[in-house]
Amino acid sequence: HFGSRSALGPTVFTALEVHHAISRAMSLPFEVELGMADLSIYLWALRQAPGADEVYRQEALRKIVVAFLSSERFKDLEHAVRCALARHKPVVHLLRDVTLPCPLSTGRMIIWCSIPSDSCVTLVSRGGRWRIRQSCTEHSTQSFSLFMVCSGARLCTRDVHFEAVANFDIPAYFAIVGMGEGAGVVDMLDDVQTLGYTCVVRRVDMDDGISAGLG
């Protein structure tokens, strides 16, 4: 057992609890499930490996292998979203608290993740209610947004806390969407919380607003 003592009395952790806590902290934060076609290919390749029959005869090991191959994890939110859409499994699971560093900027506005036109993506916590913190401390003049939801697209978020952190008094948005008919849509369901944003959802002219910096 591992433990520490506080004013509230001793807190004792088992080795298994410590192992799970360390594993979660070291794991990649975003997860996308594989489609059956991709999973079948991986399992077929695995069955060709030496010793595969011995593994498959043990039900516990077989379950572990299938669970491991059934999803893929990512460090980058944009990459996870693109992969989910490509696999026609448009759900991204958040597995732990994560702080996203400021991405490289190619314009006057910093955007972490874009939801492509006419697509639908859901971002939801798994195994707890986790937090995404976007850190924008390297730039003093650029406004920033976690998401850009393009025309005809929909972003759904569930059971996630979002937080924006910046060293400077610059505009911070959770999502930017277009104006008028066919504009992107943002749905916040269940216990979604936002902290530190100038405006949660900002409607802009997608052709002019981003290049103008949305000041």
Side-chain angles (χ1 to χ4, degrees):
H1 286 73
F2 299 83
S4 63
R5 184 174 295 275
S6 69
L8 299 178
T11 302
V12 178
F13 303 96
T14 66
L16 184 59
E17 288 172 333
V18 172
H19 170 74
H20 285 167
I22 293 174
S23 297
R24 184 171 61 244
M26 296 180 65
S27 67
L28 298 178
F30 303 107
E31 180 183 71
V32 174
E33 294 181 354
L34 268 66
M36 285 304 301
D38 291 326
L39 180 58
S40 297
I41 292 173
Y42 288 154
L43 290 175
W44 177 87
L46 187 62
R47 288 300 302 269
Q48 313 310 309
D53 290 339
E54 181 65 26
V55 171
Y56 265 75
R57 279 196 291 268
Q58 303 179 54
E59 183 178 0
L61 281 178
R62 186 170 67 246
K63 288 182 177 179
I64 291 173
V65 170
V66 172
F68 177 79
L69 293 175
S70 295
S71 62
E72 187 172 356
R73 296 186 178 183
F74 301 87
K75 178 180 180 180
D76 181 72
L77 177 57
E78 173 94 8
H79 190 186
V81 166
R82 298 287 177 169
C83 182
L85 291 173
R87 291 174 176 166
H88 306 289
K89 302 278 286 187
V91 177
V92 177
H93 292 102
L94 178 64
L95 304 179
R96 62 173 174 85
D97 291 340
V98 61
T99 297
L100 303 179
C102 189
L104 294 176
S105 174
T106 57
R108 293 183 60 188
M109 185 174 190
I110 300 167
I111 296 173
W112 274 259
C113 180
S114 61
I115 308 300
S117 298
D118 302 318
S119 63
C120 180
V121 175
T122 297
L123 174 63
V124 58
S125 290
R126 168 175 280 180
R129 184 170 291 119
W130 306 115
R131 182 215 69 231
I132 293 180
R133 174 182 292 139
Q134 53 193 113
S135 175
C136 191
T137 58
E138 296 87 353
H139 302 268
S140 60
T141 60
Q142 292 172 289
S143 58
F144 62 95
S145 179
L146 180 59
F147 290 101
M148 178 175 69
V149 184
C150 298
S151 61
R154 179 180 294 270
L155 169 66
C156 299
T157 58
R158 292 167 43 200
D159 292 324
V160 182
H161 294 178
F162 298 95
E163 182 182 1
V165 178
N167 286 343
F168 311 95
D169 185 18
I170 57 177
Y173 312 108
F174 169 75
I176 57 172
V177 300
M179 296 180 175
E181 187 177 356
V185 175
V186 176
D187 290 330
M188 293 184 169
L189 309 175
D190 300 334
D191 190 20
V192 173
Q193 295 184 8
T194 57
L195 179 66
Y197 295 96
T198 308
C199 177
V200 176
V201 178
R202 175 74 184 271
R203 294 193 174 275
V204 302
D205 185 325
M206 286 296 197
D207 294 327
D208 299 327
I210 297 177
S211 61
L214 291 175

